[in-house]
Every structure is written in structure tokens, then in C-alpha cells.
């Protein structure tokens, strides 16, 4: 595969030093949502299986509805736009390699690995994602950046202080982790702040994770609102995960006028 060819748009943008805008997490099997996001301008769509339920059949169907065939034709190549990746159910420490293998068999372009907190768990995930396949598969779908021409993105979520403490070792010893997601939700619980993701100590932890990633040259992701986008870009986050706003203007106006 020529080095200039990129099937994974997110990886292409990261290599070009451009921010990646992703959305999620979209329920696996929600075909209406998949159709909507197929026509959106998001670079990356994250499909949720961690809390939705493990169904590879639903995942295969979801990928078909997320595929924007017109955009592929207009692009003159085979780049997936938006790029589909999936959050798998097992915590990384569980080392359930079969889930990784079967998720990749569906054709996703990357995996989100929950609770990345040890070198051993990270190594297990990378080994599972490089399981033997036909030569054509290796040419197109090896892990980036171990393979500079690879198109599979493994993004680990650091969502506990243990993971943050071990992150320098993880990124130094396991080169197949292509990005890190600094996750505030579970981190706030683990830090004793009961889901208060905005707590100053939690926010400080996110910036600590970002700094570790920057020192290792690894992209760092964070969830944010539209109002927070300028701040997160200025801080240096490479992947911004936002959610489209769902509004009900007519309902709100009617309730306001009627006093309900």
C-alpha cells in the first residue's frame, strides 16, 4: 500500500497535525443515528458497545449504515469518512483478546479500550489487534503507528489515577497505542468526587494526562462542549469529542407561553 494512501481519515489528520473532531458514543445498532452521522462532517464516529451490549451482528449492520458511499466516490479513493471506531466492553486489564479480534473482524477502523491502566493490558490489546491474517490485511489494516502505513487506531481511555501513574511506562513500552482519551467521568469517581467531572482536581488530572501524551508524542483526546472547544484546542488536545445538540425549540416555546 502506498504510504500516501490513508483509509483511516482520523490517522491522516493526526499525521498532518490537524485536530480530529469526533462524536459519540452512538449506540450500536441505532441505525437512524448511524444514517444521520454518515452525512455529518465529523471525522470520527465512536460506536458504543461497552454499555449497550455485545452484538457483532448489530455492529456489522451499523457499519453499513454509517458508510457514506457518495463521499467515498467523490473522494476518489477508499477512505472511510467518517471513520468508524468502536468502544468494546472489557476493561483493558481483563485481556479478553477474543473480543478485540472479533470486533476487528467486522471491519471497524479502530477500537476504544476502556480503563487502560497497565503495561500488560496495553500489550495484550496490541497483540490481539495484530492477530494473523492474509497478507492483504496486513498491507491495509495493521496498527498505527507501529506500522507507519497502518490504518487501525487503538485509543486507550485513562480513567483512573492508576492509569495516569502508569501512562508514561505504557506509552514508552507499548507503541501500538495510537491515542489516549483522558476520561473525566470514571476518573472523578475514582478520585472521590462522585461523578463531578468538572472538579478542579479532575480537570488537573486531564491536563496531567495530556502532558504525558505530549511528552511521548501521542495524540490525546478529550470530551468537550462547543463552548470548551477553543480552550481544549489551545491546551493541545488533538482529538475533540463533542455531541450534536438535540433541541426542541417549539416545545420549549409552547411551554413558556402556556406556563407549563
Amino acid at each position: 500500500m502506498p504510504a500516501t494512501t490513508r483509509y483511516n481519515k482520523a490517522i491522516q489528520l493526526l499525521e498532518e497535525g490537524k485536530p480530529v473532531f469526533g462524536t459519540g458514543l452512538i449506540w450500536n445498532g441505532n441505525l437512524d443515528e448511524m444514517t444521520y452521522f454518515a452525512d455529518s462532517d465529523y471525522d470520527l464516529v465512536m460506536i458504543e458497545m461497552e454499555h449497550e451490549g455485545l452484538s457483532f451482528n448489530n455492529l456489522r449492520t451499523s457499519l453499513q449504515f454509517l458508510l457514506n458511499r457518495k463521499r467515498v466516490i467523490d473522494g476518489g479513493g477508499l477512505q472511510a469518512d467518517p471513520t468508524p471506531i468502536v468502544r468494546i466492553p472489557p476493561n483493558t486489564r481483563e485481556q479478553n483478546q477474543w473480543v478485540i479480534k472479533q470486533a476487528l473482524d467486522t471491519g471497524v477502523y479502530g477500537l476504544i479500550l476502556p480503563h487502560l491502566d497497565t503495561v500488560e493490558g496495553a500489550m495484550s490489546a496490541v497483540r490481539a489487534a495484530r492477530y494473523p491474517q492474509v497478507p492483504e490485511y496486513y498491507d491495509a489494516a495493521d496498527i498505527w503507528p507501529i506500522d507507519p502505513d497502518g490504518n487501525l487506531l487503538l485509543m486507550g481511555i485513562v480513567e483512573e489515577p492508576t492509569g495516569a501513574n502508569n501512562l508514561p511506562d505504557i506509552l514508552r513500552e507499548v507503541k501500538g497505542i495510537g491515542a489516549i482519551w483522558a476520561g473525566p467521568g470514571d476518573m472523578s469517581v475514582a478520585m472521590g468526587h462522585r461523578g463531578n467531572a468538572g472538579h478542579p482536581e479532575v480537570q488537573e488530572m486531564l491536563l496531567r494526562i495530556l502532558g504525558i501524551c505530549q511528552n511521548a508524542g501521542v495524540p490525546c483526546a478529550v470530551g468537550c462542549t462547543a463552548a470548551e472547544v477553543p480552550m481544549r484546542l489551545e491546551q493541545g488536545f488533538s482529538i475533540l469529542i463533542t455531541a450534536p445538540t438535540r433541541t426542541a425549540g417549539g416545545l420549549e416555546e409552547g411551554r413558556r407561553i402556556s406556563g407549563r
Side-chain angles (χ1 to χ4, degrees):
M1 183 182 69
T4 55
T5 300
R6 269 283 172 240
Y7 298 141
N8 190 315
K9 181 182 179 182
I11 292 176
Q12 176 181 315
L13 290 169
L14 291 172
E15 288 190 322
E16 293 173 350
K18 298 176 181 177
V20 174
F21 297 103
T23 190
L25 294 149
I26 311 306
W27 234 236
N28 183 31
N30 188 329
L31 304 185
D32 289 337
E33 289 284 274
M34 298 299 167
T35 301
Y36 170 80
F37 286 105
D39 293 330
S40 73
D41 289 328
Y42 282 103
D43 306 309
L44 188 69
V45 170
M46 303 177 177
I47 302 172
E48 169 67 348
M49 281 206 310
E50 182 184 15
H51 297 292
E52 182 274 343
L54 182 65
S55 173
F56 296 117
N57 285 335
N58 283 351
L59 182 56
R60 290 187 181 92
T61 303
S62 293
L63 293 175
Q64 291 301 310
F65 279 77
L66 190 58
L67 178 62
N68 189 317
R69 292 163 178 81
K70 181 180 185 301
R71 193 170 291 174
V72 171
I73 293 172
D74 291 344
L78 295 176
Q79 185 180 82
D81 186 6
T83 299
I85 66 175
V86 61
R87 181 161 73 173
I88 58 176
N91 291 344
T92 308
R93 70 177 72 96
E94 297 176 51
Q95 301 188 26
N96 283 333
Q97 294 189 353
W98 68 273
V99 177
I100 291 176
K101 296 174 185 179
Q102 292 193 26
L104 291 178
D105 278 341
T106 67
V108 296
Y109 283 62
L111 302 175
I112 301 170
L113 310 171
H115 292 278
L116 181 75
D117 52 16
T118 66
V119 170
E120 293 75 20
M123 285 184 172
S124 176
V126 171
R127 283 195 296 266
R130 303 190 86 191
Y131 65 99
Q133 280 283 0
V134 296
E136 291 82 359
Y137 183 90
Y138 287 122
D139 290 341
D142 201 2
I143 298 175
W144 178 84
I146 287 182
D147 182 345
D149 295 332
N151 282 283
L152 289 182
L153 178 65
L154 297 185
M155 182 190 303
I157 315 178
V158 175
E159 41 195 334
E160 299 174 12
T162 300
N165 293 336
N166 291 334
L167 188 57
D169 291 337
I170 292 172
L171 297 183
R172 183 178 62 252
E173 299 181 32
V174 189
K175 299 305 180 184
I177 302 299
I180 292 295
W181 180 351
D186 284 2
M187 181 69 75
S188 69
V189 176
M191 295 180 69
H193 299 303
R194 302 173 62 85
N196 180 8
H199 192 283
E201 291 183 0
V202 177
Q203 293 301 307
E204 182 180 348
M205 180 66 79
L206 299 188
L207 294 180
R208 177 188 169 195
I209 294 169
L210 171 64
I212 294 170
C213 290
Q214 289 175 326
N215 289 337
V218 173
C220 191
V222 69
C224 59
T225 65
E228 293 171 334
V229 166
M231 175 186 70
R232 295 308 191 189
L233 286 173
E234 183 177 356
Q235 289 171 338
F237 287 95
S238 302
I239 303 172
L240 303 188
I241 305 165
T242 62
T245 303
R246 299 292 196 266
T247 61
L251 172 63
E252 293 168 0
E253 181 67 2
R255 291 177 68 92
R256 183 189 68 81
I257 294 172
S258 66
R260 288 187 52 221

